[in-house]
């Protein structure tokens, strides 16, 4: 676990990875033509492993999970009437992951700063 919260460069790397993983999922789902499969499962596994192995900040993690889930739910409702299911779900998932990583990074840095001031 890092001392000062999640570094911004690491967050940027994970955001890029999330978009690449969503893009790969989009291509695979398009090729097999099955709109019932979800692109979010591998993404959630990668972000969950990153959290458990490197950055166990529980309150920022819960906050980030809520913010990312809310983003996905809102965007899915907004995008599905205008786009096909695979495209809407992929864009919503990538945006939700971006919000989640940004919230987690900012909240972990704030939590570590507040914890350092208490000591």
């Amino acid at each position: 676990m890092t001392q000062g919260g999640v570094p911004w460069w690491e967050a940027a790397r994970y955001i890029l990875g999330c978009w690449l993983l969503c893009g790969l999922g989009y291509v695979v789902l398009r090729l097999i033509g099955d709109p019932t499969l979800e692109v979010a499962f591998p993404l959630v596994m990668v972000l969950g492993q990153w959290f458990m192995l490197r950055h166990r900040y529980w309150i920022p993690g819960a906050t980030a999970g809520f913010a990312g889930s809310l983003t996905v739910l809102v965007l899915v409702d907004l995008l599905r009437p205008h786009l096909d299911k695979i495209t809407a779900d992929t864009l919503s998932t990538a945006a939700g992951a971006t919000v989640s990583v940004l919230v987690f990074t900012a909240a972990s840095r704030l939590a570590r700063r507040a914890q350092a001031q208490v000591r």
Side-chain angles (χ1 to χ4, degrees), residues 22 36 44 51 76 86:
C22 284
T36 62
V44 170
F51 172 79
V76 161
I86 295 173

Side-chain angles (χ1 to χ4, degrees), residues 41-96:
F41 294 130
L43 187 66
V44 170
M45 288 174 37
V46 167
L47 291 177
Q49 184 178 21
W50 177 53
F51 172 79
M52 291 302 292
L53 294 178
R54 301 224 350 123
H55 304 291
R56 288 189 184 185
Y57 302 108
W58 295 100
I59 293 174
T63 305
F66 177 76
S69 297
L70 186 63
T71 302
V72 171
L73 292 173
V74 168
L75 285 178
V76 161
D77 281 346
L78 292 174
L79 293 177
R80 275 196 186 166
H82 307 288
L83 302 171
D84 61 282
K85 182 185 182 313
I86 295 173
T87 305
D89 289 358
T90 301
L91 288 174
S92 299
T93 301

Side-chain angles (χ1 to χ4, degrees), residues 23-44:
L24 178 64
Y26 175 81
V27 169
V28 169
L29 291 177
R30 278 279 175 218
L31 288 175
I32 62 174
D34 189 356
T36 62
L37 297 176
E38 295 295 331
V39 72
F41 294 130
L43 187 66
V44 170

Side-chain angles (χ1 to χ4, degrees), residues 3-35:
Q3 295 300 317
V6 178
W8 287 108
W9 64 265
E10 186 176 0
R13 191 179 80 190
Y14 269 85
I15 289 170
L16 177 62
C18 288
W19 279 88
L20 291 174
L21 188 58
C22 284
L24 178 64
Y26 175 81
V27 169
V28 169
L29 291 177
R30 278 279 175 218
L31 288 175
I32 62 174
D34 189 356

